[in-house]
Amino acid sequence: MAPMGIRLSPLGMAVFCLLGLGVLYHLYSGFLAGRFAFFMLSEPAAGGAEPPPRGSAAAVDLRELLAVSVLAAVRGGEEVKRVREGNVLNEKAKGKTREGAEEKLTSGDLLSNRRMYHLLQAAFPGVQINSEEHVNTADQETVSWDRSIPEEIKQKIQPKEVPAESVTVWIDPLDATQEYTEDLRQYVTTMVCVAVNGKPVIGVIHKPFSAYTAWAMVDGGSNVKARSSYNEKTPRIIVSRSHAGKVKQVARQTFGNKTVIIPAGGAGYKVLALLDVAEKNQEEADVYIHVTYIKKWDICAGNAVLRALGGHMTTLNGEEISYTGSDGNEGGLIASINMNHKALIEKLPDLEETSHKLD
Ligand SMILES: Nc1ncnc2c1ncn2[C@@H]1O[C@H](COP(=O)(O)O)[C@@H](OP(=O)(O)O)[C@H]1O
Ligand SMILES: [Mg+2]
């Protein structure tokens, strides 16, 4: 039997060619070409977020967010400094911590918060912003961002888009308020943190009284680095001076009675103490430990900076802290860089047991 042959009529051939041309045109100019170009140009988003379609209204560029975060920390810091130098703090008590310490609020906190919040909110209206102080939305401060990106950020950081809904920004308009009221200016910082899907990705820590700013972005770059060495055997431990709880006992139980303990104000200041910060009023330490309850705006920026530089900040049980949802962190914290963080955690006493023994 002869093999079956397929014969196309001339009309069939023409239809077939037209269809082929249509497919080629679609590939060249349309949807797929755009998608291919996007994947060629961008790396996976920081924090594991799926990259949104390029140019989509719901996308935000992390490099732009970093630039605005630095600006917000600096502009907020101007208010913090102005109020302190004017000596009219209007100090109030806004409540008490769980341990019974008075939580203070000053005009420095409120004016800095107002500036930082409105600047970030106007630049990124689609992004969730959590700030330490209450924001009066009717009281719109018009601080706008001129969209300029500082040269150093442009050189070190590539644009990186993520979906706006994956981002949570945490603002601390004045860290170390207690020390601010005592005029211990060296401890005071303003901080901004950007979390993507709960992971801290961008951290900015600014010292308003010495015009020093540290920033870092995970998988991006930074203007600050780790020190060249740390003392892992007998680390100097930096701890809170005004919300200490049992941290000194925990540090001594872990590292011995001779351990050097440095009490200091501010979570931002204590993270900077672990880094190479050329600042005359900055102490140095090897590990930062905090045992009482603390809020996420106090620790997110430091966590992002440490993570970007290869360090760690976890709860005392070694769990990562998620920067979405509730604003509190219950599990204490331990922060280190260029050390075996897991080994540090294993050395810590069982906290439940410790708190019974120490009561
Ligand atoms: N037990 C606690 N409860 C509530 N806030 C706490 C806390 N311990 C520390 N903090 C806050 O964490 C920041 C750093 O604390 P410390 O200086 O004691 O290390 C301070 O933030 P603010 O100054 O921004 O309020 C402080 O209020
Ligand atoms: Mg704070």
Side-chain angles (χ1 to χ4, degrees), residues 65 86 114 119 155 198 214 235 245 307 317 327:
L65 252 174
R114 177 169 174 253
L119 181 54
Q155 275 168 16
R307 212 160 78 85
N317 286 330
D327 57 20

Side-chain angles (χ1 to χ4, degrees), residues 186-189 205 207 210 212 227 238 262 264-285:
Q186 72 274 23
Y187 295 131
V188 173
T189 61
I205 306 176
K207 287 185 160 186
S210 41
Y212 170 84
R227 292 203 307 271
I238 197 157
I262 307 168
Y269 178 89
K270 289 194 267 294
V271 167
L272 292 180
L274 306 184
L275 304 176
D276 184 2
V277 171
E279 254 275 293
K280 71 172 176 7
N281 287 325
Q282 179 67 57
E283 292 157 289
E284 287 185 354

Side-chain angles (χ1 to χ4, degrees), residues 273-334:
L274 306 184
L275 304 176
D276 184 2
V277 171
E279 254 275 293
K280 71 172 176 7
N281 287 325
Q282 179 67 57
E283 292 157 289
E284 287 185 354
D286 300 300
V287 177
Y288 167 23
I289 303 181
H290 192 84
V291 300
T292 62
Y293 178 73
I294 196 160
K295 300 288 184 66
K296 288 179 184 168
W297 40 70
D298 294 310
I299 57 176
C300 183
N303 196 341
V305 171
L306 285 169
R307 212 160 78 85
L309 303 180
H312 302 273
M313 181 186 281
T314 62
T315 65
L316 296 165
N317 286 330
E319 286 147 12
E320 296 295 337
I321 301 159
S322 172
Y323 295 92
T324 50
S326 80
D327 57 20
N329 173 54
E330 301 277 351
L333 75 85
I334 176 160

Side-chain angles (χ1 to χ4, degrees), residues 94 97-99 103-104 109 132 172 174-179 239-244 264-267 270 288 290 292-295 297-298:
K94 66 175 173 182
T97 66
R98 291 179 184 178
E99 299 77 32
E103 284 196 280
K104 290 188 176 156
D109 296 77
E132 177 162 5
D172 191 339
L174 201 172
D175 187 41
T177 302
Q178 173 60 42
E179 286 71 22
V239 303
S240 169
R241 67 182 279 283
S242 51
H243 304 86
K270 289 194 267 294
Y288 167 23
H290 192 84
T292 62
Y293 178 73
I294 196 160
K295 300 288 184 66
W297 40 70
D298 294 310

Side-chain angles (χ1 to χ4, degrees), residues 54-244:
R54 200 171 176 73
S56 131
V60 291
D61 176 10
L62 290 178
R63 183 169 79 162
E64 290 188 348
L65 252 174
L66 168 63
V68 184
S69 299
V70 169
L71 184 64
V74 171
R75 298 298 299 272
E78 288 166 7
E79 296 290 75
V80 168
K81 191 163 178 259
R82 191 171 61 78
V83 169
R84 185 62 263 184
E85 285 171 353
N87 232 353
V88 188
L89 268 62
N90 293 317
E91 188 182 323
K92 289 189 197 81
K94 66 175 173 182
K96 288 216 163 148
T97 66
R98 291 179 184 178
E99 299 77 32
E102 200 165 77
E103 284 196 280
K104 290 188 176 156
L105 179 65
T106 68
S107 297
D109 296 77
L110 290 175
L111 293 170
S112 171
N113 193 67
R114 177 169 174 253
R115 259 205 177 174
M116 292 176 76
Y117 179 85
H118 288 305
L119 181 54
L120 280 152
Q121 212 277 332
F124 291 96
V127 159
Q128 165 79 34
I129 302 175
N130 297 338
S131 71
E132 177 162 5
E133 307 308 337
H134 176 75
V135 186
N136 184 353
T137 37
D139 156 41
Q140 271 276 356
E141 240 222 7
T142 42
V143 226
S144 56
W145 178 47
D146 65 2
R147 308 200 67 80
S148 71
I149 296 179
E151 218 30 63
E152 194 187 11
I153 293 182
K154 257 195 217 156
Q155 275 168 16
K156 292 183 170 169
I157 308 281
Q158 294 303 307
K160 197 179 265 184
E161 288 191 346
V162 295
E165 63 272 17
S166 67
V167 173
T168 314
V169 175
W170 296 87
I171 297 177
D172 191 339
L174 201 172
D175 187 41
T177 302
Q178 173 60 42
E179 286 71 22
Y180 182 68
T181 63
E182 295 176 48
D183 208 10
L184 297 170
R185 303 181 184 195
Q186 72 274 23
Y187 295 131
V188 173
T189 61
T190 57
M191 295 190 277
V192 182
C193 179
V194 176
V196 178
N197 292 328
K199 293 194 175 120
V201 166
I202 291 172
V204 179
I205 306 176
H206 172 69
K207 287 185 160 186
F209 297 101
S210 41
Y212 170 84
T213 311
W215 59 258
M217 179 168 148
V218 174
D219 296 333
S222 69
N223 72 343
V224 60
K225 58 184 191 327
R227 292 203 307 271
S228 53
S229 69
Y230 292 87
N231 193 340
E232 208 155 351
K233 259 202 172 145
T234 47
R236 287 162 297 173
I237 317 290
I238 197 157
V239 303
S240 169
R241 67 182 279 283
S242 51
H243 304 86

